Amino acid sequence: AGLQSANAAITLIHEYTLGEPGSVAANNAPLDNVASSDFTGSFGTGNTSVTATGGAIGTGAYLSTTGSSGYFNATNTIGNNIAFGIYARQSTRANGTIFMTNGGSNPLKLQVGNNGWAASVDGLAWVGTAQGTVGSFVADEWVHLAVVVRNNQVNFFIDGVDQGGAYDNSGDNIAFNNMHLLTGIGGGSTYTGDIDHLRVVTFDAVADNNAAVIGALAVPEPTSTALVGLAGLGLLLRRRS
């Protein structure tokens, strides 16, 4: 049923700690700590590795890939009033898909674009600036990326800051049913770099503001950021480099 935060309406429904003890199966396939939506499909797993310290959260572990790898077939059944968040880091900016919600048409994606960290509805529109936010990429620095789907409006956040340019999903264009990690559609557009702590939460569109939702995605203890504004949350997140 998921774990509720101190904001009673926010529920953690999927969590992948990506390298912590017990968080990966054979071939470093991520396991869901909350439910049973494990990533059961994979390719190129010889290109992935777990590092025990230096992750985005505290001194925890994280997952790295040199590219041409991916995980898929993690189920999700919710497509509204839901949010997805993950930490990412690259030494050199290189385009690729970090996370997406479906392996077929019109997935919601967190990715690296020509300009920097980005989000899109693949094949339809960018969420925020096309090809990513200019100046958002800093080499070798952890960043928290999130997309929030609230009343069918999709917003993209970098370190807790809304990047504008929301996407209107009132036509239910986005497919949410098969989460992928490190890879785009058909095994293309793979990501090269580090990732840590993928979280998925549901929330009450009226009761839970974006600061609370992003806080629940970003840190193990959601209450520590639920009461701060987005600017303060962004400062806290940027200190995790």
Side-chain angles (χ1 to χ4, degrees), residues 26-30 42-51 62-71 89 181-183 187 189-195:
N27 299 315
N28 294 322
S42 62
F43 68 92
T45 56
N47 297 329
T48 65
S49 60
V50 170
T51 301
Y62 61 93
L63 187 66
S64 297
T65 175
T66 57
S68 300
S69 61
Y71 300 97
R89 180 176 66 177
L181 196 60
L182 305 179
T183 178
S189 186
T190 58
Y191 173 74
T192 300
D194 307 323
I195 56 172

Side-chain angles (χ1 to χ4, degrees), residues 4-85:
Q4 289 190 334
S5 75
N7 293 77
I10 298 178
T11 301
L12 179 65
I13 60 171
H14 304 299
E15 180 182 49
Y16 308 87
T17 55
L18 303 178
E20 300 297 339
S23 69
V24 295
N27 299 315
N28 294 322
L31 301 175
D32 188 351
N33 293 348
V34 176
S36 57
S37 294
D38 301 333
F39 285 89
T40 59
S42 62
F43 68 92
T45 56
N47 297 329
T48 65
S49 60
V50 170
T51 301
T53 60
I57 297 179
T59 59
Y62 61 93
L63 187 66
S64 297
T65 175
T66 57
S68 300
S69 61
Y71 300 97
F72 51 93
N73 287 346
T75 58
N76 171 63
T77 59
I78 299 172
N80 195 19
N81 299 326
I82 187 170
F84 307 84

Side-chain angles (χ1 to χ4, degrees), residues 68-220:
S68 300
S69 61
Y71 300 97
F72 51 93
N73 287 346
T75 58
N76 171 63
T77 59
I78 299 172
N80 195 19
N81 299 326
I82 187 170
F84 307 84
I86 191 170
Y87 287 93
R89 180 176 66 177
Q90 284 186 321
S91 294
T92 303
R93 190 205 60 76
N95 290 6
T97 302
I98 302 164
F99 167 84
M100 67 180 185
T101 60
N102 184 56
S105 60
N106 304 341
L108 181 58
K109 298 172 68 173
L110 290 167
Q111 62 196 101
V112 188
N114 292 339
N115 294 330
W117 305 111
S120 70
V121 181
D122 190 77
L124 292 178
W126 293 93
V127 185
T129 304
Q131 293 291 342
T133 301
V134 176
S136 61
F137 179 80
V138 179
D140 297 315
E141 183 174 295
W142 284 108
V143 62
H144 187 261
L145 308 173
V147 280
V148 177
V149 185
R150 179 188 300 274
N151 290 333
N152 288 314
Q153 299 297 303
V154 184
N155 288 80
F156 171 46
F157 294 81
I158 300 176
D159 282 339
V161 178
D162 189 347
Q163 301 302 296
Y167 175 77
D168 184 356
N169 193 46
S170 55
D172 292 325
N173 297 314
I174 300 173
F176 288 95
N177 59 318
N178 182 350
M179 295 184 291
H180 284 49
L181 196 60
L182 305 179
T183 178
I185 295 173
S189 186
T190 58
Y191 173 74
T192 300
D194 307 323
I195 56 172
D196 197 3
H197 277 73
L198 167 62
R199 285 186 149 215
V200 183
V201 302
T202 58
F203 57 90
D204 185 294
V206 176
D208 299 310
N209 62 24
N210 285 331
V213 173
I214 299 298
L217 290 172
V219 293

